[in-house]
Amino acid sequence: WEEAFKLASDGCALQSELSPNGIKTGALHFCYLVLAYANFAQGRPHAAQEALAKLSSIGVSEHFFQKQVEFKATHLRRLVGAEFEEYYREISVAARSRTKLVVELPEGTSAQWDFVLSAYTIDFAAIFIPDSGEAEELQRLEQYEADAGPCEGTAGPFKRAGRLEMVF
């Protein structure tokens, strides 16, 4: 998926150089579709959703591969939607306030997190607190901006059971 991601990204970057006739070939549409699938396959549903939004924003409704692209894009939109319902939740953090999410992790578990801001900035910290031992800060961000895009982090596998605290 890394190679597909890189090549599709390179293709999408050429959008500004394409003529209207070049866009009508559908090649750019396929690049965004492959980019979306590559992101989804690598566990980045937010980035997949972004690529699908860019695919929709190209604006050419009739292109050579229209039916093929739309069929696959619709399927991926359903997959991404199911992923969001199953794994994501919306959190609202009032100005100058904090919200904490806590996840219990058994020994040997790895953790992965990501979030997207709808507006403004936020401070964030991911901290692993083992059942016995000292807390370990895994990620800290100060004044992370909404237009910076998705924030992602991973850690583990953890040698001991404990809890992951994500503080916004």
Side-chain angles (χ1 to χ4, degrees):
W1 285 109
E2 280 298 324
E3 187 175 11
F5 175 82
K6 183 193 178 324
L7 293 172
S9 295
D10 292 348
C12 293
L14 298 172
Q15 182 174 356
S16 63
E17 298 179 36
L18 286 174
S19 68
N21 285 336
I23 291 174
K24 284 184 181 179
T25 66
L28 181 63
H29 298 77
F30 259 114
C31 286
Y32 277 112
L33 182 64
V34 170
L35 183 62
Y37 268 99
N39 276 305
F40 183 76
Q42 293 179 324
R44 296 188 299 257
H46 274 289
Q49 199 172 44
E50 269 183 40
L52 288 169
K54 289 179 181 175
L55 170 62
S56 296
S57 74
I58 294 173
V60 177
S61 61
E62 291 188 26
H63 56 85
F64 188 72
F65 296 110
Q66 179 181 357
K67 288 181 182 174
Q68 294 89 337
V69 169
E70 277 308 307
F71 178 78
K72 289 171 178 58
T74 299
H75 176 67
L76 183 57
R77 283 184 186 100
R78 288 185 182 134
L79 290 174
V80 171
E83 176 93 356
F84 276 96
E85 287 179 20
E86 187 174 345
Y87 295 108
Y88 288 88
R89 69 174 52 185
E90 187 170 318
I91 299 170
S92 181
V93 182
R96 291 178 281 287
S97 297
R98 294 171 117 190
T99 296
K100 184 189 309 185
L101 291 177
V102 179
V103 180
E104 297 294 328
L105 299 173
E107 179 181 329
T109 304
S110 294
Q112 180 179 0
W113 58 89
D114 60 76
F115 65 88
V116 175
L117 300 177
S118 59
Y120 310 113
T121 61
I122 198 164
D123 292 340
F124 172 77
I127 304 159
F128 178 69
I129 304 166
D131 289 343
S132 60
E134 302 228 355
E136 176 186 357
E137 187 171 272
L138 306 172
Q139 185 177 31
R140 177 169 293 281
L141 301 167
E142 303 288 331
Q143 296 298 298
Y144 190 81
E145 296 185 16
D147 52 351
C151 172
E152 299 175 341
T154 58
F158 298 103
K159 294 177 182 169
R160 294 175 293 210
R163 68 184 189 274
L164 174 63
E165 293 188 357
M166 293 170 282
V167 183
F168 297 87

